[in-house]
Amino acid sequence: MKNKTKEELMLLHIGSYKNTILEMINNNTNSLVDDDIMSLVRKPPLDSMDVIQNKFLSMAKKNKVIINNDELIKMVDNYRSQVIKIGEKIKNIRIKGLTKKIESIKIKDNEIIKINKKDFTSINKEIKKLIKEKVSDALEKEIISKMELLFSKDIDVIAKDKIIKEMSKYLKKNYLSQLLESLDIKILVKDTTLINNSKEQAERYIYSLNNSRLLNEID
């Protein structure tokens, strides 16, 4: 350390600061995807918490129809599996976008790394578009197009058609809309957390910069 110049020490200090921010971005994004976004589609711990399954069963009961619950569970599980596959792609979009911003910053003197709301705009737009498209596609392929499999051959056709029509409408509108609204909230919370954490890290950086014996004593 004694042989290093002040400039070299500053570069190490700045590099450590940037790496800490990049690590925060990775941890924040992994938590957003694995804990928050995936919780919206992952199978709940109790069947009573399964929104799609319960909607089907409620509608069947209302129309005095028995549906194949085993087939329903299979369909819903396949839908979830399809959506969960995009988890790594979501991480890549967010981490890559934010990392590009951080690495483009040239820190001089007492400058700090600032992460602002606007930095998330294009990233979140891309993520939400991806999720909406994947959820819509998975709902259509794994559930809506296969609803005929839930009913026996001797079922009342009118009741069957009514359930299929209403469930298709529910999945395409209400369910999708509610999921996307929940997604907006979860993303906003994690974005805000990352912004606040970056501010705290900036304060630590400035404090250590101003109070470092090595940086202040070497000429």
Side-chain angles (χ1 to χ4, degrees), residues 130-164:
L130 172 65
I131 293 175
K132 183 178 181 180
E133 290 177 350
K134 187 61 180 180
V135 169
S136 297
D137 182 63
L139 284 172
E140 182 63 41
K141 289 183 178 180
E142 303 299 339
I143 299 179
I144 297 173
S145 67
K146 298 178 180 179
M147 281 196 273
E148 289 275 355
L149 300 174
L150 299 174
F151 308 96
S152 61
K153 293 181 180 179
D154 58 351
I155 189 175
D156 179 80
V157 177
I158 295 177
K160 180 187 72 173
D161 290 345
K162 181 181 179 182
I163 293 173
I164 290 177

Side-chain angles (χ1 to χ4, degrees), residues 29 32-34 37-38 83-97 123 126-128 130-131 134 183 187:
T29 300
L32 170 64
V33 176
D34 296 336
I37 295 178
M38 289 304 141
V83 178
I84 288 173
K85 287 180 181 179
I86 64 172
E88 292 305 313
K89 191 169 184 178
I90 296 172
K91 290 179 183 180
N92 184 58
I93 291 171
R94 194 167 186 268
I95 291 174
K96 186 177 179 180
I123 294 172
E126 185 176 358
I127 289 174
K128 291 171 187 177
L130 172 65
I131 293 175
K134 187 61 180 180
L183 175 68
I187 289 177

Side-chain angles (χ1 to χ4, degrees), residues 31-121:
S31 179
L32 170 64
V33 176
D34 296 336
D35 301 331
D36 298 333
I37 295 178
M38 289 304 141
S39 71
L40 298 174
V41 291
R42 193 182 294 121
K43 187 176 180 64
L46 301 174
D47 287 341
S48 60
M49 298 168 66
D50 194 317
V51 177
I52 297 178
Q53 188 177 336
N54 285 330
K55 186 68 176 179
F56 266 110
L57 295 175
S58 175
M59 190 138 331
K61 183 178 180 180
K62 179 181 177 182
N63 289 275
K64 299 178 181 179
V65 169
I66 296 176
I67 62 175
N68 187 330
N69 194 48
D70 290 337
E71 187 64 37
L72 174 59
I73 292 173
K74 179 182 176 182
M75 287 162 53
V76 176
D77 284 348
N78 287 340
Y79 151 70
R80 289 195 174 100
S81 296
Q82 290 301 312
V83 178
I84 288 173
K85 287 180 181 179
I86 64 172
E88 292 305 313
K89 191 169 184 178
I90 296 172
K91 290 179 183 180
N92 184 58
I93 291 171
R94 194 167 186 268
I95 291 174
K96 186 177 179 180
L98 292 173
T99 297
K100 183 178 180 181
K101 173 201 163 52
I102 302 304
E103 292 183 338
S104 68
I105 298 174
K106 305 300 181 183
I107 301 177
K108 296 179 181 179
D109 300 324
N110 285 344
E111 293 178 353
I112 59 172
I113 296 171
K114 293 182 180 179
I115 299 179
N116 304 304
K117 288 184 178 180
K118 64 180 181 179
D119 296 318
F120 297 96
T121 303

Side-chain angles (χ1 to χ4, degrees), residues 192-205:
T192 303
T193 299
L194 184 55
I195 289 172
N196 291 335
N197 287 346
S198 69
K199 289 178 180 177
E200 292 175 5
Q201 194 59 44
E203 291 174 0
R204 293 193 185 98
Y205 167 72

